[in-house]
Amino acid sequence: MIREWMTIINHQLIASQTYLLEIQGEIATLVDSPGQFVHIQVSEQYFLRRPVSIADVSPVKGTITLLYKVMGEGTDALTHKKAGEKIDIVGPGGKGFPVQDINNSKALLIGGGIGIPPLYFLAKQLTAKGIEVTSVLGFRSEEDMFYVKEFESLGKVHVTTNDGTVGTKGFVTDALPSLENIDTYFTCGPTIMLRNVKEKLKGVPGYISIEERMGCGIGACFACVLETPAKEDGKGYVKVCSDGPVFRPEEVVL
Ligand code: FES
């Protein structure tokens, strides 16, 4: 993990309050797995860095693509940054999905809202290994949808929207495909969604990426701790930023 002023290459609105930010720099060469994040300092006025998952990496261009949603003043200020400007980034942080250990043939990806971006980078890496990917992507409404075509270029996609404007009306758990042919699932989204997915897919091997508000992002402040079910290690908790954000479902209490 390093700190670097990365150059903005592309910055555009892609859905309601949702932006694509492509940044160039050495950090792009250090990303080792999908699910890792970068920590952005928007400006000195916003002291706390914002963690944003990496949605894609281009080794050729030396860029990282981030997809973020405006959640408050800090992310709103970020929307005003323009191509050519530099931005203060620390990363890549955390431990991502262990693609190198996945050797089976059928994967189910389940993403909700702004939990979807890291699954795109994951889908690209899994399909590159010859793994068949089916994705279930959940949005609030049609205007919030993004990257559906990109996922469709990698495999089968089911869309859900809370208001039924596109796809199945309801939540991702209302549109899960038959699990008979699924070897492993991968999910990222709000905690309530992760809890429901974990419950519905009990018995299926999986990986959960947790979206948790962070402080330091480097394991020093305890702002992101989660309880673990097994206390054999005597610790009883994990830090999302440094032990995760990707965990096996049985490793964390949601
Ligand atoms: Fe500080 Fe995780 S954000 S320990």
Side-chain angles (χ1 to χ4, degrees), residues 39 213-225 239-242:
H39 228 187
R213 205 172 175 79
M214 290 184 197
C216 67
I218 52 167
C221 77
F222 288 81
C224 64
V225 292
K239 292 177 188 170
V240 173
C241 70
S242 52

Side-chain angles (χ1 to χ4, degrees), residues 15-16 139-146 161-166:
S16 173
F139 302 93
R140 216 166 32 185
S141 185
E142 182 176 15
E143 63 179 18
D144 300 296
M145 284 173 46
F146 59 87
T161 48
N162 296 357
D163 61 4
T165 41
V166 178

